[in-house]
Amino acid sequence: MHEDVIGLLMQQTQMLQILVSGLFRDLFCRAAVSFTDFIRTTEPRHRRAVQCFWAALQDRGLLYKDFYEGWYCTPDECFLTQAQITERPDAQGRPCKVSLESGHQVHWTKEENYMFKLSEFQEPLRKWLQGNRHVISPEPFYQVVRRWLEEDLPDLSVSRERSRLQWGIPVPGDSTQTIYVWVDALVNYLTVAGYPDAHHAWWPTAHHVVGKDILKFHAIYWPALLMAVGLDPPEQICVHSHWTVHGQKMSKSLGNVVDPVACFKQYTVDGFRYFLLRQGVPERDCDYYKEKVIKLVNSELADALGGLLNRCTASSINPSGIYPHFSESCFRKGSDHVDVEASGRALAEDYELVASVDHLPLQVTDYFEHFQIYKALESIVACVRQTNGFFQRHAPWKLCRDNPAEKCWLDTVLHVTLECLRIYGILLQPVIPATADKLLSRLAVKPEERTFTDLTFLPRYHGKPSPFEGRRLGPDTGALFPRLETPGRRRMETKGLRP
């Protein structure tokens, strides 16, 4: 009877895991997040990889069996030190020990486990960090790991009794033990790289993106385990902080968990992606609330970027609907702009704009490569504002097309503005793919012209031919990004009231 109950529970657990896995796949699809591999720890290839990894540890004499006791958190499946727990009242008001990180209850547990000789890798880990200053990014998390390594590094319990952890991978040759879930999970990185047969083509050129709450597993345990089997640690571990809601940690009990699917419907997929990447600072927790999303997205996507595109492609300003020609005489290249400024055409601020946008692709690429996406977007937004200033400053709607001199300058202003928008659209593709595609399609930029490689801004300014001059713009499909309305405003307008 007992075995039947356990079997039923295992089946239910597996069904739940399949359901959750499907939810993540669906979420990625909705969020326009692509992946080359999606792995579950129940797959045969992973089971084989974990068993080979365990055998490698055992063959090197780095595992031993011993009794281990301490505070154990069943939901988190880990032992905790005294510094990682606190005392709080339970539902009945009785004092109980809980995890500081998760809030889950812990119990004093003593059991016989397999232990990994983590203590032997304290010095190798220190040397690894000292020789790779940027291996853990951002800098504050690098310092956290260094402080951890200044303390004694005890051996790590790497298995659990099979009687209370049925669903994991059994320890090879010992049916009473299950391999610790975090050893199992971390080997996932090797599994998708082809371990144990074909991983050499990919490893160790791996970059992990992890939350700060699992930093120790990735920056202490995982590098040590890799060293133990003769492999190098990953090339970089990029760490991010958490999102809070109105200053509070997300919690089911508080009912303040944010549903991403609901956010896609309210802000659009691109709008929500943009907000998270624009406001998400890896070094510190960032706060989410609806008004903040709406204000940011409206200001930067709908107004600054979308408004600029709408203004410079309007039929009243660009009746021919083409990418206008650039005039070198109106916008002269060089360091001495005295004569140009005297003619009332390009001004010092205009040359500053050109310099900023010219430098932008390299700047953005560098920020992307260093996991500072929010800084990349800050740089793009700053240039978008500069471009709006340029357009407003020269007021092309006031220029007369019947006057050859003014038409020449009008076309140049439009050309420069469209060139700026082309650069912004290409650089924003990883962040807001649908919106960037709409922008670039409006500018008639072909798919093969949208890569970061050889991205040249304003070639005519540099005396080179432009493939875009004279090209007919793409169809006008409406606003680049729809303005979002707050729920309160929408309700008031529905009732025929003005806010």
Side-chain angles (χ1 to χ4, degrees):
M1 184 67 177
H2 177 65
E3 291 180 357
D4 291 341
V5 172
I6 290 176
L8 181 61
L9 288 173
M10 287 181 66
Q11 283 184 332
Q12 290 177 337
T13 300
Q14 289 171 352
M15 290 175 64
L16 181 61
Q17 289 172 341
I18 293 171
L19 175 63
V20 172
S21 172
L23 288 173
F24 273 99
R25 283 176 176 265
D26 180 61
L27 179 63
F28 290 156
C29 182
R30 287 172 180 246
V33 175
S34 61
F35 50 87
T36 53
D37 205 327
F38 188 102
I39 188 168
R40 296 183 60 227
T41 56
T42 53
E43 294 179 25
R45 58 170 173 162
H46 179 63
R47 190 184 186 97
R48 176 173 174 261
V50 172
Q51 290 170 338
C52 288
F53 193 88
W54 184 274
L57 291 172
Q58 209 157 30
D59 291 345
R60 291 168 181 253
L62 293 167
L63 299 177
Y64 64 95
K65 209 170 184 181
D66 198 4
F67 282 94
Y68 188 88
E69 61 181 321
W71 294 105
Y72 187 75
C73 182
T74 302
D76 300 338
E77 295 173 355
C78 65
F79 282 97
L80 300 173
T81 65
Q82 189 67 40
Q84 293 174 300
I85 64 172
T86 187
E87 191 172 280
R88 292 175 188 163
D90 63 13
Q92 287 73 40
R94 296 170 300 191
C96 67
K97 303 287 187 182
V98 299
S99 164
L100 270 172
E101 175 63 33
S102 68
H104 294 140
Q105 190 169 356
V106 300
H107 302 278
W108 189 262
T109 304
K110 181 177 180 180
E111 63 181 38
E112 192 175 25
N113 296 151
Y114 283 91
M115 306 294 292
F116 167 59
K117 296 180 181 179
L118 180 63
S119 55
E120 293 189 7
F121 293 89
Q122 183 152 5
E123 197 54 37
L125 286 170
R126 284 175 176 167
K127 290 180 179 178
W128 167 63
L129 276 188
Q130 289 168 0
N132 297 273
R133 185 76 183 187
H134 301 292
V135 73
I136 298 171
S137 174
E139 172 72 14
F141 296 113
Y142 173 87
Q143 296 300 335
V144 167
V145 178
R146 285 197 64 178
R147 287 195 294 271
W148 283 339
L149 290 174
E150 290 171 2
E151 304 169 359
D152 289 336
L153 206 58
D155 288 348
L156 178 67
S157 170
V158 289
S159 74
R160 300 290 182 264
E161 288 183 355
R162 188 78 182 162
S163 59
R164 63 183 180 84
L165 191 57
Q166 294 279 326
W167 56 266
I169 299 175
V171 169
D174 189 343
S175 59
T176 69
Q177 296 281 309
T178 297
I179 295 174
Y180 178 38
V181 64
W182 265 105
V183 175
D184 176 350
L186 288 165
V187 176
N188 259 312
Y189 297 121
L190 286 176
T191 304
V192 296
Y195 183 84
D197 305 314
H199 60 286
H200 301 289
W202 292 97
W203 202 268
T205 54
H207 290 242
H208 299 335
V209 180
V210 304
K212 67 176 184 179
D213 53 326
I214 52 175
L215 177 58
K216 181 169 282 188
F217 295 100
H218 284 83
I220 299 288
Y221 304 156
W222 181 226
L225 287 164
L226 288 165
M227 291 176 184
V229 299
L231 294 174
D232 291 328
E235 192 168 295
Q236 189 176 44
I237 301 168
C238 300
V239 190
H240 62 80
S241 298
H242 294 163
W243 281 96
T244 58
V245 178
H246 289 284
Q248 290 184 303
K249 185 177 180 180
M250 287 191 210
S251 163
K252 289 181 180 178
S253 60
L254 290 174
N256 65 346
V257 176
V258 177
D259 179 2
V261 176
C263 291
F264 296 156
K265 292 177 181 177
Q266 184 173 2
Y267 315 123
T268 76
V269 171
D270 273 10
F272 196 49
R273 284 170 60 110
Y274 184 81
F275 171 77
L276 293 177
L277 293 169
R278 174 78 167 89
Q279 293 288 297
V281 180
E283 292 92 329
R284 62 179 182 272
D285 290 351
C286 300
D287 201 36
Y288 164 90
Y289 52 91
K290 294 178 181 179
E291 297 80 5
K292 187 177 183 181
V293 184
I294 293 171
K295 183 178 179 180
L296 177 81
V297 170
N298 279 344
S299 171
E300 298 186 359
L301 293 186
D303 297 342
L305 187 66
L308 182 64
L309 176 66
N310 184 59
R311 294 170 80 191
C312 70
T313 56
S315 58
S316 58
I317 289 183
N318 188 356
S320 60
I322 64 169
Y323 217 97
H325 289 262
F326 177 89
S327 169
E328 292 96 331
S329 62
C330 290
F331 214 124
R332 297 175 187 172
K333 189 174 188 298
S335 57
D336 184 7
H337 311 308
V338 176
D339 294 337
V340 179
E341 292 185 11
S343 71
R345 296 315 188 199
L347 305 174
E349 297 95 323
D350 305 334
Y351 289 97
E352 290 172 6
L353 167 66
V354 170
S356 296
V357 182
D358 208 25
H359 179 62
L360 189 63
L362 284 177
Q363 190 177 36
V364 168
T365 300
D366 184 64
Y367 283 140
F368 278 166
E369 289 179 350
H370 288 87
F371 194 54
Q372 295 176 311
I373 301 173
Y374 73 102
K375 287 189 177 181
L377 295 180
E378 282 178 358
S379 301
I380 294 172
V381 169
C383 284
V384 171
R385 291 187 179 124
Q386 272 187 282
T387 312
N388 271 293
F390 165 77
F391 197 81
Q392 188 69 27
R393 185 163 55 247
H394 294 293
W397 57 90
K398 294 182 180 179
L399 299 174
C400 178
R401 284 196 164 273
D402 296 331
N403 181 318
E406 288 205 349
K407 183 182 182 302
C408 189
W409 177 235
L410 168 60
D411 286 348
T412 300
V413 170
L414 292 179
H415 184 98
V416 171
T417 306
L418 291 173
E419 274 291 277
C420 290
L421 283 167
R422 180 176 66 87
I423 298 299
Y424 306 150
I426 291 172
L427 296 178
L428 285 168
Q429 289 177 109
V431 179
I432 45 174
T435 305
D437 174 68
K438 189 174 182 179
L439 190 160
L440 294 170
S441 296
R442 180 71 172 110
L443 301 184
V445 181
K446 300 172 186 176
E448 63 271 20
E449 297 170 331
R450 301 181 181 189
T451 65
F452 279 37
T453 309
D454 300 323
L455 183 56
T456 303
F457 168 63
L458 206 59
R460 294 281 277 109
Y461 176 72
H462 298 287
K464 299 176 182 177
S466 168
F468 303 101
E469 273 192 335
R471 184 182 296 185
R472 181 158 296 281
L473 297 177
D476 183 359
T477 56
L480 178 65
F481 193 91
R483 279 188 62 81
L484 305 176
E485 300 291 350
T486 61
R489 180 185 177 94
R490 200 157 42 235
R491 284 195 299 271
M492 293 172 74
E493 291 178 346
T494 301
K495 293 177 181 178
L497 301 173
R498 290 183 179 274

